Amino acid sequence: MSASLVAVGDNVVDRYVDRGVMYPGGNAVNVAVHTRRCGARSAYVGAVGTDAAGRAVLDALVAEGVDTRLVRVVDGANAYAEVRVVEGNRVFGHGDPGVSRVTLTQADLAAVAAADITHTGECSMVEDQLADLALAARRLSFDFSERPWPYLEKYARHAQVAIRSCPGATPEEAAEEAKRLQELGPSFVAVTIGAEGAVLLDRGGLAYARPEPAPVVDTLGAGDAFIARLLLGVAAEEDLQHLAQEATAYATSTCASFGAFGYETAIEATSTPLDPNQQGAYRS
C-alpha cells in the first residue's frame, strides 16, 4: 500500500497497574504505528514528556519506522492512563494528559497537506484547531468514539471519514447510526460494535463484517488498529465489503497480546531524560 498518513494529537503510556508495566499508546500514536505495520508511510505530530514514559513512546515510534520529525519533546510528565484488563476487555481508570496538548504550526499543516490522509480524534484536544486541519488535509479522519451526539453535530462537518463506537448495538442499529452521522457531512462512516464487528457506509452503499472467533488477551488499541487498516483501504478505494472484513480481521489479530502494539516497560523504569532542546533529533 503506497498511501501516506499523518496522525495528529494524543499519546499516552497505558499503565497496567495490576501488572506493574506500561505500554505506549494513544489513538493517534496507535493509528500511526498500525499504518506502518500495514505497509504504508506514516508520521506522528504530537508532544511527549521528558520522563521515562515520554522516552518509551518516542523510542517505540522510532523503532516502528514512524516519521517523528514533528514530535515535540516538552519538559514535564508524559500523558498516561491507568488500565485494568477484565476478562480480556480493557477498563480505564485515572489518567492525566501531561504535556500532550499541541498547537499546530505551519510545518505541521504542511505535512498534513502532503499526506493522503490525516487522522485525529476526540482524545487529541485539537477541536479548536480542527477547521485549520480540515482546510489543510486532503482527507480528514476523525474518531468520535462514544462522544454524545451534540459533540458529533458540532465537529462532524470537518471530517470526510468519521469513526464512531457503539458497543452493544446491533448491526441494524449501527447502520442507522452511520446514516445519521453521514447526514452531518462525512462521506465515509464506520461504526464499530465491539466483538460484533463493524458497519461501513459510503456514498455507494453499506457493508457489515463480523470478525472470526480468535483468542483475546487484551482489547486495548484494537479499535485504533481497525482505523489504521480502514483508512488505508479508504485511500486505496477498496471494495467496501472486502475492506470491512479486512479491517475487522486486522483489529482482532491485535487482541492476542497486551498493550496497543507492544513495547512493555516497567512503570517504575528509569531512563536518561529526553532533551527538549533537541527537537527533531529523535527520529527514524
Side-chain angles (χ1 to χ4, degrees):
M1 297 179 181
S2 60
S4 59
L5 175 141
V6 173
V8 178
D10 64 316
N11 76 84
V12 299
V13 287
D14 293 307
R15 296 179 177 177
Y16 286 60
V17 292
D18 292 338
R19 300 178 60 232
V21 297
M22 62 183 177
Y23 298 88
N27 177 257
V29 161
N30 295 342
V31 170
V33 167
H34 283 292
T35 295
R36 285 291 297 136
R37 290 188 176 183
C38 287
R41 292 174 290 126
S42 71
Y44 171 63
V45 177
V48 300
T50 48
D51 56 359
R55 179 171 286 280
V57 172
L58 191 50
D59 284 353
L61 287 167
V62 171
E64 289 288 331
V66 175
D67 187 336
T68 58
R69 286 175 289 183
L70 293 172
V71 174
R72 292 84 151 139
V73 177
V74 180
D75 190 25
N78 202 78
Y80 74 88
E82 293 183 350
V83 181
R84 285 181 169 83
V85 178
V86 180
E87 297 181 350
N89 291 313
R90 86 289 188 270
V91 178
F92 288 107
H94 180 72
D96 192 289
V99 300
S100 62
R101 188 184 297 272
V102 294
T103 299
L104 299 175
T105 67
Q106 287 304 309
D108 299 331
L109 295 175
V112 164
D116 294 304
I117 195 157
T118 298
H119 176 74
T120 190
E122 51 92 27
C123 287
S124 290
M125 301 175 289
V126 295
E127 288 90 347
D128 60 336
Q129 303 171 83
L130 204 53
D132 292 335
L133 262 182
L135 186 63
R138 298 180 187 179
R139 182 184 277 135
L140 182 63
S141 162
F142 196 95
D143 181 10
F144 290 93
S145 188
E146 299 178 49
R147 288 280 190 149
W149 194 253
Y151 183 91
L152 278 68
E153 290 178 318
K154 186 172 183 179
Y155 297 113
R157 60 189 175 88
H158 295 295
Q160 286 76 52
V161 180
I163 301 100
R164 177 83 163 136
S165 180
C166 293
T170 65
E172 293 76 19
E173 290 168 338
E176 289 305 310
E177 183 77 359
K179 293 172 184 176
R180 189 182 177 203
L181 180 48
Q182 191 181 61
E183 290 175 355
L184 297 178
S187 57
F188 192 106
V189 177
V191 178
T192 61
I193 49 178
E196 296 303 308
V199 168
L200 308 186
L201 176 68
D202 64 11
R203 297 301 185 192
L206 188 75
Y208 166 67
R210 189 178 191 277
E212 295 294 326
V216 174
V217 173
D218 181 8
T219 60
L220 183 72
D224 303 335
F226 171 89
I227 291 170
R229 181 61 184 86
L230 175 80
L231 295 181
L232 294 181
V234 171
E237 299 182 350
E238 292 183 24
D239 172 78
L240 197 65
Q241 185 59 46
H242 172 76
L243 177 54
Q245 293 167 340
E246 289 294 310
T248 53
Y250 182 71
T252 301
S253 73
T254 68
C255 296
S257 57
F258 284 105
F261 56 89
Y263 296 91
E264 179 180 300
T265 306
I267 291 177
E268 301 301 328
T270 59
S271 65
T272 303
L274 293 173
D275 185 350
N277 295 315
Q278 289 187 318
Q279 302 296 338
Y282 307 95
R283 65 180 67 177
S284 57

